[in-house]
Short mmCIF file of all heavy atoms in Angstrom, two decimals:
data_model
loop_
_atom_site.label_atom_id
_atom_site.label_comp_id
_atom_site.label_asym_id
_atom_site.label_seq_id
_atom_site.Cartn_x
_atom_site.Cartn_y
_atom_site.Cartn_z
N PHE B 1523 66.50 25.67 -25.77
CA PHE B 1523 67.44 25.50 -26.89
C PHE B 1523 67.09 26.48 -28.01
O PHE B 1523 67.96 27.18 -28.55
CB PHE B 1523 67.39 24.06 -27.45
CG PHE B 1523 67.92 23.00 -26.51
CD1 PHE B 1523 67.58 21.67 -26.69
CD2 PHE B 1523 68.75 23.33 -25.45
CE1 PHE B 1523 68.07 20.69 -25.84
CE2 PHE B 1523 69.25 22.35 -24.58
CZ PHE B 1523 68.90 21.02 -24.79
N GLU B 1524 65.81 26.54 -28.37
CA GLU B 1524 65.39 27.39 -29.48
C GLU B 1524 65.58 28.87 -29.15
O GLU B 1524 66.00 29.65 -30.00
CB GLU B 1524 63.94 27.08 -29.87
CG GLU B 1524 63.83 25.70 -30.49
CD GLU B 1524 62.46 25.36 -31.05
OE1 GLU B 1524 61.44 25.90 -30.57
OE2 GLU B 1524 62.39 24.52 -31.98
N ALA B 1525 65.32 29.24 -27.90
CA ALA B 1525 65.50 30.64 -27.50
C ALA B 1525 66.97 31.06 -27.62
O ALA B 1525 67.28 32.23 -27.84
CB ALA B 1525 65.00 30.84 -26.08
N ALA B 1526 67.86 30.08 -27.47
CA ALA B 1526 69.30 30.37 -27.57
C ALA B 1526 69.78 30.39 -29.02
O ALA B 1526 70.96 30.62 -29.29
CB ALA B 1526 70.09 29.32 -26.78
N GLY B 1527 68.87 30.11 -29.95
CA GLY B 1527 69.25 30.16 -31.37
C GLY B 1527 69.66 28.82 -31.94
O GLY B 1527 70.21 28.75 -33.04
N LEU B 1528 69.39 27.75 -31.20
CA LEU B 1528 69.69 26.41 -31.73
C LEU B 1528 68.46 25.87 -32.45
O LEU B 1528 67.35 25.94 -31.91
CB LEU B 1528 70.08 25.48 -30.58
CG LEU B 1528 71.39 25.83 -29.88
CD1 LEU B 1528 71.50 25.14 -28.52
CD2 LEU B 1528 72.58 25.46 -30.76
N ARG B 1529 68.66 25.37 -33.66
CA ARG B 1529 67.55 24.79 -34.43
C ARG B 1529 67.56 23.28 -34.25
O ARG B 1529 68.62 22.66 -34.35
CB ARG B 1529 67.69 25.12 -35.93
CG ARG B 1529 67.71 26.60 -36.22
CD ARG B 1529 67.84 26.84 -37.72
NE ARG B 1529 66.62 26.48 -38.41
CZ ARG B 1529 65.54 27.26 -38.46
NH1 ARG B 1529 65.56 28.45 -37.88
NH2 ARG B 1529 64.47 26.87 -39.10
N ILE B 1530 66.37 22.70 -34.01
CA ILE B 1530 66.27 21.25 -33.87
C ILE B 1530 66.11 20.68 -35.28
O ILE B 1530 65.01 20.71 -35.84
CB ILE B 1530 65.08 20.87 -32.96
CG1 ILE B 1530 65.26 21.53 -31.59
CG2 ILE B 1530 64.97 19.35 -32.82
CD1 ILE B 1530 63.98 21.58 -30.75
N VAL B 1531 67.20 20.18 -35.85
CA VAL B 1531 67.16 19.72 -37.25
C VAL B 1531 67.02 18.21 -37.36
O VAL B 1531 66.86 17.67 -38.45
CB VAL B 1531 68.39 20.23 -38.04
CG1 VAL B 1531 68.38 21.75 -38.13
CG2 VAL B 1531 69.71 19.74 -37.44
N GLY B 1532 67.06 17.53 -36.21
CA GLY B 1532 66.79 16.10 -36.15
C GLY B 1532 66.31 15.78 -34.75
O GLY B 1532 66.85 16.33 -33.78
N GLN B 1533 65.30 14.93 -34.64
CA GLN B 1533 64.78 14.62 -33.30
C GLN B 1533 63.97 13.33 -33.34
O GLN B 1533 63.15 13.14 -34.24
CB GLN B 1533 63.89 15.76 -32.80
CG GLN B 1533 63.24 15.53 -31.45
CD GLN B 1533 62.66 16.80 -30.86
OE1 GLN B 1533 63.23 17.41 -29.98
NE2 GLN B 1533 61.52 17.21 -31.38
N ARG B 1534 64.20 12.48 -32.36
CA ARG B 1534 63.45 11.22 -32.28
C ARG B 1534 63.35 10.78 -30.83
O ARG B 1534 64.33 10.86 -30.09
CB ARG B 1534 64.20 10.15 -33.08
CG ARG B 1534 63.33 9.14 -33.74
CD ARG B 1534 64.06 8.36 -34.83
NE ARG B 1534 65.07 7.47 -34.29
CZ ARG B 1534 66.37 7.61 -34.46
NH1 ARG B 1534 66.86 8.62 -35.14
NH2 ARG B 1534 67.22 6.75 -33.94
N ARG B 1535 62.18 10.34 -30.43
CA ARG B 1535 62.02 9.78 -29.08
C ARG B 1535 62.25 8.28 -29.20
O ARG B 1535 61.60 7.62 -30.02
CB ARG B 1535 60.62 10.10 -28.56
CG ARG B 1535 60.34 9.62 -27.15
CD ARG B 1535 58.97 10.13 -26.73
NE ARG B 1535 58.50 9.53 -25.51
CZ ARG B 1535 58.50 10.13 -24.32
NH1 ARG B 1535 58.95 11.36 -24.20
NH2 ARG B 1535 58.04 9.52 -23.26
N ILE B 1536 63.17 7.76 -28.38
CA ILE B 1536 63.51 6.33 -28.48
C ILE B 1536 63.62 5.71 -27.09
O ILE B 1536 63.83 6.41 -26.10
CB ILE B 1536 64.87 6.09 -29.21
CG1 ILE B 1536 66.03 6.75 -28.45
CG2 ILE B 1536 64.81 6.58 -30.64
CD1 ILE B 1536 67.40 6.30 -28.91
N GLN B 1537 63.47 4.42 -27.08
CA GLN B 1537 63.85 3.66 -25.88
C GLN B 1537 65.25 3.13 -26.19
O GLN B 1537 65.43 2.27 -27.03
CB GLN B 1537 62.87 2.50 -25.66
CG GLN B 1537 63.25 1.58 -24.51
CD GLN B 1537 63.32 2.31 -23.17
OE1 GLN B 1537 62.35 2.94 -22.75
NE2 GLN B 1537 64.46 2.23 -22.50
N MET B 1538 66.25 3.70 -25.53
CA MET B 1538 67.62 3.29 -25.81
C MET B 1538 67.83 1.85 -25.34
O MET B 1538 67.33 1.47 -24.28
CB MET B 1538 68.59 4.24 -25.09
CG MET B 1538 69.92 4.38 -25.78
SD MET B 1538 71.06 5.47 -24.89
CE MET B 1538 70.71 7.04 -25.62
#
Side-chain angles (χ1 to χ4, degrees):
F1523 292 161
E1524 292 186 333
L1528 294 163
R1529 301 181 71 80
I1530 302 163
V1531 296
Q1533 178 166 257
R1534 213 163 69 248
R1535 182 174 169 104
I1536 61 167
Q1537 175 60 56
M1538 209 182 268

